[in-house]
């Protein structure tokens, strides 16, 4: 029968038999003797060791009525290890094996000694085995890039405990929780405290020796000002850290995008793939510099400033980050200036290639006289274009015509005007830009455009083709149909987006004019089958002898003959006769 003893170990209550108690007491006394020559922090070391032993025993004692026995103490001493000067009664430990520390697995804690907000990032960094600064960068990406960090970080802050005891700090870093490590950790903390105390004493001593300290004690107002200054400095420091985080995030996202873009534009060709996998900007092909060199220049010109911003953000967040050497700085500056110079040359070359406007006019007579009805329709080419709908667009499409890469553009304007000639005719005006007048005119003339008149049915191509290198030369085609007076024209629905500024006496919008029949008058087209709901705000009709004008200001009638003229005006002021 063994006698049991009640003990309090590290704040935890245990029932322990007498033999186990004596073995535990001898073990703790041996540890105490090993620290007796150096009393610095001895009590704190013993307290942490007792806390650790209490934690280990509580893991083995599942019931509060369970008694701690000798085997439990043996297991604990094996885990905790044996001091080098372990001097205890050999009779108790004569059958014991040599004590060895057992490495514990890492546990997740918040690091209160290296924290920016709550120590979550530093604790996670210890757990996964990476530098704290990179863990913080990852969280910045999660916070500002995806937004989920704003929800996860506070939850981890609440759930993850802070490492308070020495044992917990060792477990956080994955170090064995044994006597030697606990003693080492506590001595390091004491050395740090001692160093800070010495620095504080020296600082106070210097102030005492200085003449400023010999003045009168600061007044209450001065202390208040100093306190406010410290608060402002703390706020500015936090704001500076926030700015540094934003710089790192912005620079990281931009550099990743640049790397992906550079690979997409340049890497695919280097790997030997065809142009079907990548489309280069067309002005690359007409530049005096190779397009691969322009890609490199563009990448360098944009990436180097963001690399500098990235390093600046790191410097703001951590003082341990080293700056670039002078040689590196000068090298980056030189490369950056060279890339800017190369892009400047390409830009100047692009500007000169569009410095002049060129025009080429083409006029052809239509077999159409007064009283004839002309039907106008726009047609596309489904074999070339992938667009489902034919409409005027300001951007061009890359197509292949007989295996030749070309630009497919629908930038065409159609207008209808009156002519005093007997027969109708069509005028096609082609426009382009070039590095000189001759070059611009030649480019305009080279635009491929066709139309077809078949028995009063005029089919106009709703597109034109151009060389692939001419994308930025502002090319377009203006088509004007001239009709004699009293001739008729029907506009197909396909002309809806191509009509531009067509003059008519009803002031109907261009988009409302298709699918109606019109008659040409001296004042423009007159709709013969339109509903009045599409009419504009005014109505004009007349000739040299009679003129009728109805608009928002009222009605105005003007009559003129060889004996004189008369004018009647009806508006909000009443009826006026001249």
């Amino acid at each position: 029968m063994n006698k049991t003893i009640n003990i309090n170990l590290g704040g935890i209550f245990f029932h322990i038999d007498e033999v186990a108690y004596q073995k535990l007491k001898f073990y703790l006394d041996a540890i105490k003797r090993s620290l007796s020559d150096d009393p610095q922090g001895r009590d704190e070391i013993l307290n942490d060791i007792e806390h650790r032993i209490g934690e280990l025993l509580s893991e083995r004692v599942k019931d509060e009525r369970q008694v701690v026995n000798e085997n439990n103490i043996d297991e604990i001493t094996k885990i905790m290890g044996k001091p080098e000067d372990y001097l205890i009664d050999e009779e108790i430990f004569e059958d014991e094996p040599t004590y060895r520390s057992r490495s514990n697995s890492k546990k997740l804690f918040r690091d209160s000694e290296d924290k920016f907000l709550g120590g979550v990032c530093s604790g996670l960094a210890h757990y996964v085995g990476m530098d704290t600064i990179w863990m913080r960068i990852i969280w910045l990406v999660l916070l500002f890039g995806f937004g989920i960090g704003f929800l996860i970080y506070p939850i981890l802050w609440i759930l993850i405990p802070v490492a308070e005891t020495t044992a917990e700090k060792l477990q956080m870093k994955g170090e064995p929780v044994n006597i030697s490590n606990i003693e080492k950790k506590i001595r390091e903390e004491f050395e740090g405290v001692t160093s800070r105390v010495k620095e504080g004493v020296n600082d106070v001593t210097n102030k005492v020796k200085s003449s400023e300290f010999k003045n009168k004690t600061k007044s209450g107002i001065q202390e208040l000002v100093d306190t406010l200054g410290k608060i402002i400095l703390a706020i500015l420091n936090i704001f500076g850290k926030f700015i540094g985080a934003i710089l790192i995030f912005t620079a990281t996202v931009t550099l990743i995008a640049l790397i992906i873009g550079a690979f997409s534009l340049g890497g695919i060709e280097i790997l030997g793939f065809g142009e079907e996998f990548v489309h280069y900007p067309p002005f690359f092909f007409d530049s005096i510099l190779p397009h691969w060199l322009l890609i490199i220049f563009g990448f360098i010109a944009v990436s180097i400033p963001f690399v500098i911003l990235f390093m600046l953000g790191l410097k703001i967040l951590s003082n341990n980050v080293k700056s670039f050497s002078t040689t590196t700085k000068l090298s980056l500056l030189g490369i950056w200036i060279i890339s800017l110079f190369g892009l400047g040359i390409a830009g100047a070359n692009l500007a000169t290639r569009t410095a002049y406007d060129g025009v080429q006019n083409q006029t052809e007579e239509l077999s159409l006289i007064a009283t004839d009805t002309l039907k106008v329709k726009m047609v596309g080419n489904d074999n070339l274009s992938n667009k489902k709908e034919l409409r005027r667009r300001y951007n061009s499409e890359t197509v292949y015509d007989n295996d030749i890469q070309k630009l497919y553009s629908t930038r065409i304007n159609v207008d209808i005007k009156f002519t005093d000639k007997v027969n109708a005719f069509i005028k096609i005006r082609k426009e382009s830009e070039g590095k000189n007048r001759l070059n611009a005119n030649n480019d305009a003339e080279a635009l491929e455009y066709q139309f077809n008149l078949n028995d009063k049915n005029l089919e106009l191509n709703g597109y034109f083709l151009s060389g692939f290198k001419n994308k930025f030369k502002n090319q377009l085609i203006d088509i004007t149909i001239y009709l004699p007076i009293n001739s008729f024209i029907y506009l197909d629905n396909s002309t809806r987006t191509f009509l531009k500024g067509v003059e008519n006496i009803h002031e109907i919008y261009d988009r409302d004019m298709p699918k109606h029949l019109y008659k040409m008058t001296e004042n423009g087209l007159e709709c013969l089958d339109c509903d009045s709901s599409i009419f504009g705000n005014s109505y004009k009709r007349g000739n040299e002898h009679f003129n009728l004008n109805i608009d928002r200001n009222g009605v105005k009638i003007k009559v003129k003959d060889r004996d004189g003229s008369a004018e009647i005006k009806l508006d909000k002021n009443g009826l006026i006769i001249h």
Side-chain angles (χ1 to χ4, degrees):
M1 179 182 296
N2 293 330
K3 183 170 63 174
T4 61
I5 301 173
N6 298 330
I7 63 172
N8 188 318
L9 195 62
I12 306 175
F13 184 78
F14 294 99
H15 299 289
I16 184 171
D17 65 41
E18 187 174 11
V19 176
Y21 172 77
Q22 293 296 330
K23 179 171 288 191
L24 177 61
K25 185 175 182 301
F26 287 145
Y27 181 74
L28 293 175
D29 289 342
I31 296 174
K32 186 175 182 180
R33 287 195 302 271
S34 69
L35 303 174
S36 60
D37 294 334
D38 188 1
Q40 184 187 43
R42 180 178 58 189
D43 294 339
E44 185 172 350
I45 295 173
L46 288 173
N47 185 52
D48 275 345
I49 292 175
E50 288 185 4
H51 273 83
R52 179 57 179 162
I53 293 176
E55 292 175 357
L56 294 174
L57 285 176
S58 63
E59 293 176 359
R60 288 159 175 76
V61 177
K62 305 302 182 181
D63 189 349
E64 62 180 9
R65 293 174 297 180
Q66 182 178 344
V67 178
V68 177
N69 56 36
E70 184 179 1
N71 292 331
N72 298 137
I73 301 300
D74 291 340
E75 292 177 3
I76 300 303
T77 54
K78 289 180 182 180
I79 295 173
M80 295 299 295
K82 179 181 177 181
E84 294 180 355
D85 57 345
Y86 201 69
L87 301 175
I88 56 176
D89 192 355
E90 293 295 335
E91 293 179 359
I92 299 178
F93 291 101
E94 58 184 2
D95 296 329
E96 299 294 329
T98 303
Y99 290 101
R100 296 179 184 177
S101 62
R102 188 176 70 187
S103 176
N104 294 340
S105 60
K106 287 185 181 179
K107 290 187 177 181
L108 184 58
F109 291 97
R110 288 186 288 115
D111 190 354
S112 60
E113 297 178 351
D114 182 19
K115 65 179 182 179
F116 183 73
L117 286 178
V120 174
C121 289
S122 54
L124 290 172
H126 290 312
Y127 190 76
V128 301
M130 66 186 301
D131 194 82
T132 305
I133 186 66
W134 296 114
M135 179 60 70
R136 286 172 177 160
I137 291 174
I138 292 173
W139 273 100
L140 287 174
V141 175
L142 292 176
L143 285 171
F144 299 103
F146 302 97
I148 59 176
F150 287 102
L151 178 63
I152 298 177
Y153 193 91
I155 295 176
L156 294 179
W157 195 341
I158 295 172
L159 297 180
I160 300 177
V162 63
E164 295 178 347
T165 66
T166 304
E168 290 173 344
K169 294 176 183 178
L170 291 173
Q171 289 176 326
M172 177 179 64
K173 297 181 179 180
E175 298 180 7
V177 183
N178 51 34
I179 298 172
S180 60
N181 282 338
I182 292 176
E183 181 181 1
K184 178 182 176 182
K185 180 66 176 177
I186 293 179
R187 293 191 187 280
E188 289 177 353
E189 294 177 354
F190 266 99
E191 290 175 359
V193 172
T194 303
S195 177
R196 289 193 293 271
V197 170
K198 288 181 179 179
E199 291 176 358
V201 172
N202 293 333
D203 184 58
V204 172
T205 303
N206 293 332
K207 289 184 178 180
V208 171
K209 293 180 179 179
S210 66
S211 59
E212 295 179 358
F213 194 83
K214 295 178 182 180
N215 294 331
K216 294 181 179 180
T217 307
K218 291 183 179 180
S219 64
I221 296 178
Q222 289 176 315
E223 292 180 357
L224 177 61
V225 171
D226 290 344
T227 303
L228 291 176
K230 292 178 181 179
I231 294 175
I232 293 174
L233 288 177
I235 294 175
L236 292 177
N237 184 47
I238 294 175
F239 181 74
K241 299 291 186 182
F242 179 73
I243 295 297
I246 291 178
L247 291 178
I248 291 176
F249 174 76
T250 304
T252 301
V253 172
T254 304
L255 290 174
I256 292 175
L258 285 173
I259 292 173
I260 295 175
F263 179 79
S264 300
L265 290 175
I268 293 180
E269 182 180 353
I270 294 175
L271 295 176
F273 294 98
E275 292 181 353
E276 63 272 12
F277 291 93
V278 62
H279 296 284
Y280 297 101
F283 68 88
F284 276 23
F285 293 91
D286 205 18
S287 175
I288 59 176
L289 298 177
H291 63 274
W292 59 267
L293 185 59
L294 291 176
I295 294 173
I296 295 176
F297 281 159
F299 177 80
I300 293 174
V302 179
S303 62
I304 287 181
F306 281 97
V307 170
I308 301 301
L309 288 179
F310 181 81
M311 294 301 299
L312 178 60
L314 290 180
K315 288 284 291 182
I316 293 175
L317 290 181
S318 176
N319 295 326
N320 298 326
V321 178
K322 295 182 178 180
S323 302
F324 289 131
S325 64
T326 303
T327 304
T328 303
K329 292 178 181 177
L330 293 177
S331 300
L332 290 175
L333 178 61
I335 295 173
W336 187 62
I337 292 175
I338 292 174
S339 64
L340 289 181
F341 182 74
L343 293 176
I345 294 176
N349 180 52
L350 175 62
T352 57
R353 287 189 284 117
T354 58
Y356 292 87
D357 296 326
V359 175
Q360 197 271 336
N361 291 311
Q362 177 185 353
T363 302
E364 293 193 23
E365 188 173 299
L366 303 176
S367 57
L368 185 73
I369 59 176
T371 70
D372 286 343
T373 300
L374 179 67
K375 295 182 179 180
V376 181
K377 181 180 181 181
M378 308 298 295
V379 295
N381 191 331
D382 294 335
N383 294 326
L384 293 177
S385 175
N386 293 325
K387 302 295 183 182
K388 295 182 179 180
E389 182 184 6
L390 178 64
R391 59 180 297 127
R392 180 175 59 195
R393 293 181 174 88
Y394 289 94
N395 57 328
S396 57
E397 180 183 358
T398 302
V399 298
Y400 288 88
D401 182 26
N402 295 326
D403 296 331
I404 300 176
Q405 194 175 30
K406 295 181 180 180
L407 294 178
Y408 181 98
S409 177
T410 58
R411 195 179 177 190
I412 297 175
N413 303 319
V414 177
D415 193 8
I416 304 169
K417 292 184 178 181
F418 160 76
T419 178
D420 55 3
K421 296 182 179 180
V422 177
N423 293 326
F425 63 94
I426 183 172
K427 182 179 179 180
I428 300 175
R429 176 186 171 91
K430 302 177 181 179
E431 299 180 10
S432 181
E433 295 177 344
K435 61 183 178 181
N436 54 55
R437 186 75 64 187
L438 178 61
N439 181 265
N441 289 337
N442 290 336
D443 287 340
E445 185 179 1
L447 296 181
E448 302 177 29
Y449 183 78
Q450 296 178 352
F451 68 93
N452 180 42
L453 178 63
N454 183 17
D455 190 24
K456 309 301 184 297
N457 294 321
L458 179 61
E459 292 185 349
L460 301 173
N461 279 1
Y463 68 94
F464 64 87
L465 299 177
S466 177
F468 185 63
K469 300 178 181 180
N470 299 328
K471 185 170 185 177
F472 295 124
K473 292 188 176 181
N474 198 27
Q475 295 178 327
L476 62 91
I477 291 180
D478 287 324
I479 300 174
T480 305
I481 302 173
Y482 290 89
L483 298 177
I485 193 169
N486 295 327
S487 57
F488 300 89
I489 184 170
Y490 178 83
L491 299 176
D492 185 78
N493 189 52
S494 59
T495 63
R496 183 174 184 270
T497 61
F498 294 93
L499 298 176
K500 185 175 181 180
V502 179
E503 186 175 357
N504 61 89
I505 63 176
H506 308 286
E507 292 193 357
I508 303 173
Y509 289 118
D510 293 332
R511 64 175 179 269
D512 295 327
M513 293 188 67
K515 298 194 294 185
H516 294 292
L517 180 65
Y518 296 88
K519 179 182 179 181
M520 177 58 70
T521 68
E522 292 180 352
N523 296 318
L525 294 176
E526 178 185 3
C527 186
L528 302 180
D529 59 354
C530 293
D531 188 271
S532 60
S533 61
I534 66 173
F535 289 174
N537 295 324
S538 65
Y539 175 79
K540 298 179 181 179
R541 185 168 185 178
N543 51 41
E544 59 179 344
H545 300 292
F546 175 82
N547 184 273
L548 172 63
N549 184 19
I550 303 174
D551 56 24
R552 65 181 65 183
N553 296 322
V555 180
K556 185 178 180 181
I557 301 174
K558 188 175 181 181
V559 181
K560 182 180 180 181
D561 59 17
R562 58 186 176 181
D563 294 329
S565 63
E567 183 176 316
I568 301 175
K569 186 176 182 181
L570 178 63
D571 56 20
K572 61 182 180 179
N573 297 322
L575 180 64
I576 301 174
I577 301 175
H578 297 286

